Amino acid sequence: MNESALRNAETIASGIVDRFALPAPAGSIEPYGGGLINATFLVTAGDARYILQRVNDSVFPEPERILSNLSVLAGHAATHAESKLRIPALIGARDGLSFVRDGQGGFWHLMAFIPNALGLARIEDLEQAREIGRILGRFHVLVSDLPVERLAVTLPRFHVTPGYLERFKQVLATHATAHPEALSQAIACVTARQAGVGVLEAARRDGRLPVRVVHGDPKLDNILFDRVTGRAISLIDLDTVQAGLVHYDIGDCLRSCCNRRDGPAGAGFDLDLCRAILVAYAEETDGLLDATEIELLFDAIRLIPFELALRFLTDHLEGNRCFRVTERGQNLHKARVQLALVADIETKERAIRGIVAACFKGGETGPRDRRF
Ligand code: ADP
Ligand code: MG
């Protein structure tokens, strides 16, 4: 979502919120949080607070599906009260629907605000890393008996890396061939690694990997911690909960949490954080993953930041339609950071495979030649 779309959403938010079934009239409505995809507002009504969001419909083709999935998930979570995972309650519209459409076709929903919680800008210690592993594991355990067919596909081909590569190539082909230095370098990095981007999808297609319900976007920003206890209490941003591979989630979580941003190109994969997250995840999920899932974890850890680099780079070339930027060239810069992270992960392959093997007692330890 770009700045003008965000300002536009801000102008109409107050007219929208009154159409939800709030117990008290809405008071203040303020832009909230650092999300890049949707327009998010904090609403105060009486003593209560809510999160109002306008779904980015250039990202999600059928936003109704998000609401359908949220209610399936909430219903499922209600049958697993033991899960200790907070799923924000949805507030319906006065007309009985679970969302409100604005005059421009925009799609809005409202949910309860999770109080006394905060997101972390970066991980400060290993206990926080363990909390992250635990909450992701808790989420996967929670949805492990939710049949994938009950969830609609909100974002078709999300995390299907070969699709992002294809799209990147198409967009690149429409651009001039002479590029600024930084862009040329990024393109060269992508080109050097393109073979093998289908490693997870091939395994999914062949039935070697089970399709499970996944979060889709469990990066650090989407984990809320209790202000007092420091425990991870909620995985938010549930727009992309749908059928997928656990690899998408583990890869996305690790690339976001373990990037110390202190390498020469603003990236460095922290092995201690990786170990802490995976140890806690493996304990929490206790045998949920099968041997092939474990075997392909390293590939996921390398592939998902590569995929994100492709997405940032494509968006940069397309004029930042998907990821909001606050300065010129920001998506290119983010792509370069992810590519540097991929390069660092590759140098640490043996160590990462060792960590996976130790955590799950079944992964492989030896590095392989294959590069994607
Ligand atoms: P985006 O898809 O744009 O990333 P998110 O759903 O992650 O949007 O929401 C943006 C931010 O709003 C989050 O990073 C978080 O700070 C805050 N937020 C979202 N939902 C809630 C909630 N239910 N309770 C408290 N804060 C929330
Ligand atoms: Mg978010």
Side-chain angles (χ1 to χ4, degrees):
M1 178 161 301
N2 61 33
E3 284 301 314
S4 78
L6 186 65
R7 274 197 301 277
N8 179 30
E10 198 171 344
T11 325
I12 53 181
S14 55
I16 296 298
V17 76
D18 292 333
R19 293 168 56 194
F20 283 96
L22 286 172
S28 63
I29 303 171
E30 308 282 344
Y32 188 77
L36 297 178
I37 302 297
N38 301 304
T40 302
F41 301 89
L42 177 64
V43 173
T44 314
D47 292 339
R49 284 177 297 171
Y50 303 89
I51 290 284
L52 175 68
Q53 282 187 323
R54 182 186 152 137
V55 177
N56 186 335
D57 51 18
S58 62
V59 174
F60 296 98
E62 297 195 48
E64 289 91 336
R65 293 182 173 189
I66 296 176
L67 269 298
S68 153
N69 284 0
L70 288 178
S71 52
V72 169
L73 192 63
H76 182 74
T79 65
H80 288 273
E82 77 289 351
S83 162
K84 289 196 277 173
L85 184 86
R86 293 194 56 172
I87 307 274
L90 288 176
I91 316 297
R94 292 195 192 285
D95 64 8
L97 293 177
S98 52
F99 54 85
V100 163
R101 309 277 325 226
D102 63 35
Q104 303 161 5
F107 186 97
W108 298 74
H109 63 93
L110 188 74
M111 64 187 137
F113 181 79
I114 297 179
N116 306 318
L118 47 81
L120 299 177
R122 70 195 305 266
I123 300 174
E124 303 292 343
D125 57 50
L126 293 180
E127 187 47 29
Q128 289 176 340
R130 284 190 280 273
E131 277 300 305
I132 289 165
R134 283 184 197 117
I135 197 126
L136 183 61
R138 216 170 285 154
F139 182 84
H140 286 163
V141 169
L142 171 69
V143 294
S144 61
D145 62 343
L146 175 59
V148 290
E149 310 75 50
R150 291 199 51 213
L151 294 171
V153 175
T154 59
L155 203 47
R157 297 178 64 74
F158 189 38
H159 291 310
V160 175
T161 317
Y164 293 107
L165 180 64
E166 208 42 53
R167 176 90 192 113
F168 165 72
K169 286 180 175 173
Q170 281 167 4
V171 172
L172 189 62
T174 65
H175 279 69
T177 44
H179 302 294
E181 176 69 12
L183 180 56
S184 295
Q185 283 174 1
I187 294 168
C189 265
V190 165
T191 309
R193 290 178 168 85
Q194 59 182 318
V197 292
V199 56
L200 295 180
E201 291 318 304
R204 174 178 173 158
R205 222 176 19 249
D206 300 350
R208 282 183 289 130
L209 287 177
V211 173
R212 299 179 184 271
V213 175
V214 299
H215 179 282
D217 195 17
K219 59 186 177 186
L220 186 57
D221 290 350
N222 289 335
I223 299 170
L224 293 184
F225 293 78
D226 186 296
R227 258 177 215 285
V228 178
T229 64
R231 301 226 131 192
I233 49 174
S234 188
L235 253 184
I236 55 167
D237 206 346
L238 302 167
D239 307 344
T240 52
V241 172
Q242 58 181 18
L245 302 176
V246 290
H247 299 77
Y248 304 159
D249 281 358
I250 295 173
D252 195 51
C253 184
L254 292 180
R255 68 99 199 137
S256 127
C257 295
C258 303
N259 186 0
R260 278 311 207 177
R261 299 179 192 274
D262 53 4
F269 190 79
D270 188 311
L271 294 172
D272 292 333
L273 291 177
C274 170
R275 185 180 299 104
I277 292 171
L278 287 182
V279 163
Y281 176 86
E283 273 170 19
E284 194 72 36
T285 51
D286 191 22
L288 179 70
L289 304 197
D290 71 25
T292 311
E293 287 180 302
I294 295 165
E295 189 195 322
L296 289 174
L297 279 180
F298 173 77
D299 299 80
I301 293 168
R302 191 173 48 175
L303 189 62
I304 298 298
F306 180 75
E307 176 188 289
L308 186 58
L310 280 173
R311 293 170 62 203
F312 283 140
L313 211 47
T314 307
D315 205 35
H316 171 75
L317 292 171
E318 285 197 296
N320 312 308
R321 290 178 358 192
C322 175
F323 300 104
R324 185 162 61 237
V325 296
T326 50
E327 58 193 63
R328 236 177 125 216
Q330 207 169 27
N331 277 324
L332 172 58
H333 174 72
K334 288 179 168 182
R336 284 163 57 84
V337 169
Q338 292 306 312
L339 289 169
L341 184 64
V342 172
D344 195 48
I345 289 169
E346 287 169 350
T347 66
K348 293 172 178 161
E349 174 170 356
R350 181 183 289 273
I352 297 169
R353 285 189 183 279
I355 290 169
V356 169
C359 292
F360 293 92
K361 312 247 182 322
E364 294 178 10
T365 49
R368 282 190 258 158
D369 295 337
R370 181 159 44 80
R371 285 281 178 272
F372 60 79

